[in-house]
Amino acid sequence: IMKKNNINHYEIVDSTNNEAIRHINSNSKTNWILADRQISGKGRGDNKWESPFGGLYCSHILRDDNINHNHISQISIISSLIVLKTIIFFLNDSEVKAKWPNDILCNNKKISGILINTLYKNDKMNIIIGIGINVLSQSLTKSNAQYSFMDTYNDKINVLDVFHKLIEEFNNIITKWDYGKNFNGLRDNWMKYAYKLGQEITVKHNDEFIEGLFSNIDETGNLILKLNNKILRFNTGEVF
């Protein structure tokens, strides 16, 4: 898996995932897009991701002929593990959890979100992994009630240090993953931090709300919900 880091750093973009799409379409070799600010950052669904100065906003472009569509659910889990490990490196004891499929919480408030897009170009699949992390709270436009910020727990933190650690974790974990051969070990690592594992949760899927017990993540990254004697699998959705 390619580990060379070709980084383009911008002051302002509409969104790093949009910028990644432009790089793919222009056949550029860039594989990391970093922006100090996004003016139309997106979360999952139609959610906006507010992106003032002081946050980490980046996208990684995975171009690899050995990665295929079946890997996407796994990539969602390993991306979330990469971000989780990065945040824990700086915050050590704080209560950091992975919320399926790809949010990271700190003390039950969102500290990071991940948005994965795929783009086919010349019959090749490109996977874009967009990552937003709340690093500094100094330019606060986000409501504190809803979000956590890394500098609340570590006042020596800065955005570029977090970005460089993220790249290091990315290269390390994506190599370990080895096109799914070692997914189970990485999934087990993710599960140690899983939010509400073993508890009753509500999954919103296609505008339907389904309640059950969050029992596991399967070998492709799907969430397994136990509902009376039934087992339901979700590859997309939102957990409450």
Side-chain angles (χ1 to χ4, degrees), residues 84 87-88 91-98 104-111 148 153 192-196 199:
L84 178 91
I87 292 170
I88 286 173
L91 306 195
N92 20 42
D93 333 300
S94 308
E95 186 64 12
V96 182
K97 294 279 181 195
I104 308 298
L105 307 180
C106 183
N107 291 318
N108 292 320
K109 295 181 190 178
K110 184 162 171 172
I111 197 165
S148 270
Y153 307 93
K192 286 181 193 158
Y193 302 95
Y195 173 71
K196 296 213 170 207
Q199 295 178 42

Side-chain angles (χ1 to χ4, degrees), residues 8-203:
N8 270 41
H9 186 172
Y10 300 87
E11 192 176 339
I12 297 178
V13 294
D14 49 356
S15 85
T16 58
N17 275 24
N18 286 351
E19 188 59 34
I21 289 167
R22 290 189 280 271
H23 276 269
I24 292 165
N25 284 329
S26 67
N27 298 314
S28 124
K29 295 283 179 275
T30 297
N31 61 351
W32 281 101
I33 311 285
L34 173 67
D36 299 334
R37 192 174 150 226
Q38 300 180 116
I39 47 177
S40 33
K42 289 190 182 69
R44 296 172 63 245
D46 295 324
N47 297 332
K48 282 196 168 135
W49 180 263
E50 285 190 44
S51 314
F53 288 110
L56 170 59
Y57 315 111
C58 64
S59 294
H60 180 75
I61 303 167
L62 259 183
R63 304 179 181 87
D64 191 317
D65 293 348
N66 294 310
I67 293 176
N68 61 48
H69 211 271
N70 299 331
H71 289 135
I72 289 174
S73 299
Q74 291 190 0
I75 283 170
S76 179
I77 295 290
I78 60 174
S79 301
S80 152
L81 182 63
I82 288 161
V83 176
L84 178 91
K85 293 284 191 191
T86 300
I87 292 170
I88 286 173
F89 176 80
F90 293 99
L91 306 195
N92 20 42
D93 333 300
S94 308
E95 186 64 12
V96 182
K97 294 279 181 195
K99 182 172 173 242
W100 184 90
N102 40 20
D103 283 346
I104 308 298
L105 307 180
C106 183
N107 291 318
N108 292 320
K109 295 181 190 178
K110 184 162 171 172
I111 197 165
S112 172
I114 298 161
L115 180 65
I116 295 177
N117 297 133
T118 54
L119 178 66
Y120 283 87
K121 174 100 201 299
N122 304 331
D123 293 331
K124 290 189 174 171
M125 188 176 74
N126 300 269
I127 297 178
I128 302 164
I129 302 164
I131 296 164
I133 302 177
N134 300 334
V135 181
L136 306 178
S137 52
Q138 97 262 7
S139 56
L140 196 60
T141 59
K142 297 182 182 211
S143 127
N144 240 336
Q146 242 182 314
Y147 296 100
S148 270
F149 294 83
M150 292 181 76
D151 67 349
T152 307
Y153 307 93
N154 178 346
D155 58 5
K156 296 187 173 57
I157 197 126
N158 74 68
V159 174
L160 282 181
D161 284 350
V162 178
F163 180 56
H164 291 135
K165 181 64 184 168
L166 180 76
I167 291 177
E168 187 187 307
E169 287 294 346
F170 189 93
N171 290 341
N172 175 20
I173 288 174
I174 202 89
T175 304
K176 261 189 200 152
W177 173 65
D178 196 14
Y179 308 107
K181 290 192 191 83
N182 301 316
F183 175 68
N184 287 349
L186 295 170
R187 175 197 61 184
D188 292 348
N189 202 337
W190 183 94
M191 301 265 284
K192 286 181 193 158
Y193 302 95
Y195 173 71
K196 296 213 170 207
L197 180 65
Q199 295 178 42
E200 292 287 327
I201 58 168
T202 301
V203 178

Side-chain angles (χ1 to χ4, degrees), residues 69 72 185 216 223-224 229:
H69 211 271
I72 289 174
N216 211 340
L223 181 143
I224 299 178
N229 296 322

